[in-house]
Amino acid sequence: SYELTQSPSVSVSPGHTATITCSGDKLGNKYACWYQQKPGQSPVLVIYQDSRRPSGIPERFSGSNSGNTATLAISGTQAMDEADYYCQAWDSSTWVFGGGTKLTVL
Amino acid sequence: VQLQESGPGLVKPSETLSLTCTVSGGSTSDYYWSWIRQPPGKGLEWIGFIYYSGSTNYNSSLQSRVTISLDTSKNQFSLRLSSVTAADTAVYYCARGTAVVGPADAYYFDLWGQGTPVTVSS
């Protein structure tokens, strides 16, 4: 079965750019999306189709996908961006999630 | 459109977990209606989906125990997970899956319920 791998944790200073990666075999040939989940809340879609932002998601969230790696970047990171982030892709008619990355804003 | 999960919060081991998701403010057409769970302190696990046409697909690790059904007249879809154990303790989310079909197909969950916690314990 297809697997997506994320680093367990990433730290960033306020105002700097946070980069969260997601790796999978030939992931660049698929579309990746990203969810943000804050404690006690449901996940929220922040990026879909590699780089598109849903309505209401700030412009500081951006995404890319090439080769074996999809990347979520958060520019000008704010304290409110501290959360768990999950990547997701579609493979063989199944939805696949990465293990999640905890973003800490120090 | 909103999604709301409902069902028992406590299920005994070996019994069947049953949850329902009510879709309000919209219809169940044209989407992949899915269940996803999250064990305490862990990540998201996709359980399965039912397409509005009635076709289903399940996570291979749960396939022998899972059934997802759709009741279009009530705008609801349901999850049944049989022979539960403590490992099935989790927050269960229902979600709406959207597909964008093209040279590469994009599938993502653009709408989630608030989640309902289920504990498996005697």
Side-chain angles (χ1 to χ4, degrees), chain A residues 31 35 37 42 88 93 95, chain B residues 38 46 57 93 104 107 109 113:
Chain A
Y31 277 120
Y35 304 91
Q37 186 181 34
S42 303
Q88 177 250 300
S93 300
W95 309 76
Chain B
Q38 186 171 36
W46 172 72
N57 200 27
Y93 296 98
Y107 291 78
F109 297 113

Side-chain angles (χ1 to χ4, degrees), chain A residues 10-30:
Chain A
V10 168
S11 298
V12 64
S13 299
H16 289 232
T17 297
T19 302
I20 299 171
T21 59
C22 172
S23 63
D25 184 47
K26 298 178 182 175
L27 181 55
N29 291 345
K30 310 177 187 295

Side-chain angles (χ1 to χ4, degrees), chain A residues 81-103:
Chain A
D81 300 327
E82 187 163 285
D84 294 326
Y85 290 85
Y86 294 91
C87 61
Q88 177 250 300
W90 168 268
D91 179 79
S92 302
S93 300
T94 65
W95 309 76
V96 182
F97 289 101
T101 298
K102 181 176 182 59
L103 176 66

Side-chain angles (χ1 to χ4, degrees), chain A residues 1 28-33 35 37 40-45 47-50 84 86 88-100, chain B residues 5 32 34 36 38 42-46 48-49 57-60 93 96-100 103-110 112-115:
Chain A
S1 60
N29 291 345
K30 310 177 187 295
Y31 277 120
C33 64
Y35 304 91
Q37 186 181 34
Q41 298 184 18
S42 303
V44 172
L45 181 70
I47 293 289
Y48 67 101
Q49 275 187 276
D50 292 343
D84 294 326
Y86 294 91
Q88 177 250 300
W90 168 268
D91 179 79
S92 302
S93 300
T94 65
W95 309 76
V96 182
F97 289 101
Chain B
E5 304 90 350
Y32 294 79
S34 299
I36 297 146
Q38 186 171 36
K42 296 188 177 181
L44 302 171
E45 180 181 30
W46 172 72
F49 72 76
N57 200 27
Y58 305 125
N59 187 320
S60 59
Y93 296 98
R96 185 179 76 178
T98 294
V100 178
D105 298 337
Y107 291 78
Y108 50 89
F109 297 113
D110 60 355
W112 295 67
Q114 68 183 25

Side-chain angles (χ1 to χ4, degrees), chain B residues 56-88:
Chain B
T56 57
N57 200 27
Y58 305 125
N59 187 320
S60 59
S61 66
L62 300 170
Q63 186 161 4
S64 63
R65 300 193 290 131
V66 174
T67 302
I68 297 176
S69 57
L70 178 64
D71 187 335
T72 55
S73 67
K74 294 182 178 179
N75 258 14
Q76 293 177 335
F77 62 104
S78 298
L79 168 71
R80 288 175 56 86
L81 181 66
S82 64
S83 305
V84 298
T85 69
D88 296 309

